[in-house]
Each structure stands twice: as structure tokens, then as C-alpha cells.
Amino acid sequence: MELGRATGGTILVVEDEQAIGSLVRTYLERDSFNVLWLRAGEEALAELDRHPIRLVILDIGLPDIDGFEVCRRVRARSSVPIIMLTARDEEPDRVAGLEVGADDYLTKPFSPRELVARVKAVLRRVDGPTQDASLVAGDVIVRRDGREVTVAEEAVELTGKEFDLLTFLLDHQGVVLSRELLLDRVWGLTYPGGTRTVDVHVAQLRRKLGRPELILTVRGSGYKAARH
Ligand code: CA
């Protein structure tokens, strides 16, 4: 194992399935990331303290402790970005994955290109200033620096929280986000308004943007922005 050569930093891959792990490693290395690949949770937690890890790709089904537990323990001591790998049709798992502090998730089977794209998207987001200046979802365009939103090239006036909520949703296109998570990330944990606040702001966004298909209600789970 050689660390420190590639330019993209080191990605810790925690995956017990040989085929998936080696595919992920190949594609990440091709994109100039160093890859540290481990098959079990405890080992991964130990390695995390030994190397400067830029991002963790974490499978949920592991031979020892599961990915959720690994994620919780990582979060207890580090804000390193985490992308979780989930089995198909595990909707509650996806939500839970984000609620234990993961930044994104990918459902198996996934294309390695998609994974690399997600890795880069999460890193851009985390790195702040280098993140995409604009978010595009159909004809809805969000400009982060100017905090401006246009729909079909017409400016739309949003409040600060509406803007933050829209940005967070569009940063996680296709991901189901619970009301609690949205409340936490957009308003902060201590906000006393309750999850009803989220519903009110989503309704306002739908009305102002005039694109009801952009933010979808996922019954019993929360909201998601349609993937573009
Ligand atoms: Ca597995």
C-alpha cells in the first residue's frame, strides 16, 4: 500500500465484497485518488486515525459491525465526508444513513463512474469555495455566491431559509431527506419551530418556483429533489 503519491488525497473504502471493492478502487485510482481498502468496520476505524483520509466510502453490510455503527463512531470524532453504499430498495436505510451523519449514499448496483462523480461532488461541497458556483435543475438555476435563483431565466425572490433549503435539496438530488434532517441542516439543531416549518418552506418554494415536480414528497419519509 502506497500513500501520498496521487493528487486527489486518500479515500478509505470499507467494503467486504471483493468485486465491488476492487472496481471502486480501480476507478478511484484512475481518477488520481489513493485508495485504502478495508473489509471490516473495526479495522477501518483504526486506520482512520492513522492516515489523513479525505473521504470514506462505507458499505452498510459488513462482517463485524455494520456501516451505520461505523458511521456513528466516525462522526463521534471526525467530520470526514462519508458516502454510504446501500442495498437496493432500502429506503429507510438511506434515510438512516444520512441521519447517522453520512453526506450521501449510493444504491447498489451503481456504476463506478457515478460513484466517482458523487465523490467529487461531496468533496466540492465540503471544500467550500471550490464547490460549483451554480446548481442547475432543469430550468431552475441557483447561484450560490449571489444567492440568486432564476426559473426559465426569470429571477425568483426567496427568503434566506428558502434559499438554504433549496440549495441543500439540490445538493442532494435524488436523495430522500427527512424533515428532521432538513430542520437540523438548514435551521440548526436548536431551532424550536418543529418539522412543520420544513413543510411550510417546501410549500413556499413550490409556489414561488412554479415547478411542483422539482421537490417531491416521499410519503412517510420526507422530501427529495428530482435528479437532473
Ligand atoms: Ca457488504
Side-chain angles (χ1 to χ4, degrees):
M1 171 170 43
E2 299 208 17
L3 297 175
R5 265 205 197 153
T7 55
T10 301
I11 300 203
L12 177 61
V13 176
V14 193
E15 167 62 85
D16 58 319
E17 280 171 68
Q18 186 67 27
I20 295 177
S22 83
L23 193 66
V24 165
R25 179 170 67 184
T26 301
Y27 271 78
L28 287 171
E29 284 179 348
R30 208 177 277 174
D31 233 289
S32 83
F33 291 103
N34 282 311
V35 174
L36 191 53
W37 173 20
L38 297 168
R39 278 94 171 154
E42 295 283 6
E43 279 184 285
L45 286 165
E47 287 300 318
L48 196 62
D49 294 330
R50 288 187 200 128
H51 305 282
I53 302 294
R54 242 189 125 196
L55 181 141
V56 180
I57 294 171
L58 180 57
D59 187 31
I60 289 176
L62 295 169
D64 53 350
I65 47 175
D66 73 19
F68 293 133
E69 182 58 25
V70 175
C71 188
R72 269 184 223 105
R73 290 205 212 163
V74 171
R75 273 294 163 268
R77 62 200 206 216
S78 162
S79 59
V80 64
I82 300 174
I83 297 178
M84 302 204 74
L85 304 179
T86 78
R88 206 185 337 204
D89 302 326
E90 286 182 323
E91 202 67 39
D93 281 356
R94 295 176 191 184
V95 179
L98 290 169
E99 284 178 349
V100 291
D103 296 87
D104 202 354
Y105 74 88
L106 209 53
T107 307
K108 293 177 180 179
F110 53 83
S111 86
R113 281 200 190 127
E114 166 91 20
L115 178 70
V116 172
R118 296 286 192 96
V119 165
K120 289 181 173 173
V122 168
L123 288 175
R124 272 200 302 273
R125 216 154 71 212
V126 170
D127 292 348
T130 59
Q131 68 192 163
D132 285 344
S134 301
L135 283 164
V136 180
D139 60 1
V140 176
I141 299 173
V142 176
R143 292 183 183 83
R144 295 182 205 266
D145 45 358
R147 290 180 71 83
E148 294 161 346
V149 177
T150 56
V151 179
E153 292 171 22
E154 293 283 320
V156 177
E157 286 281 328
L158 298 183
T159 65
K161 287 301 175 202
E162 287 164 2
F163 182 89
D164 293 342
L165 177 62
L166 179 62
T167 305
F168 192 80
L169 283 161
L170 294 186
D171 267 333
H172 296 83
Q173 290 178 32
V175 180
V176 180
L177 302 164
S178 72
R179 289 172 175 79
E180 290 75 17
L181 180 87
L182 291 168
L183 195 65
D184 177 19
R185 298 293 175 91
V186 176
W187 281 267
L189 267 178
T190 56
Y191 187 76
T195 54
R196 174 88 187 111
T197 304
V198 178
D199 299 329
V200 170
H201 281 75
V202 167
Q204 284 287 81
L205 278 178
R206 284 175 174 154
R207 189 181 61 76
K208 289 185 176 180
L209 300 173
R211 294 289 178 273
E213 72 289 356
L214 179 63
I215 304 169
L216 308 170
T217 302
V218 182
R219 195 178 286 268
S221 297
Y223 296 103
K224 75 174 174 186
R227 206 187 281 280
H228 285 82

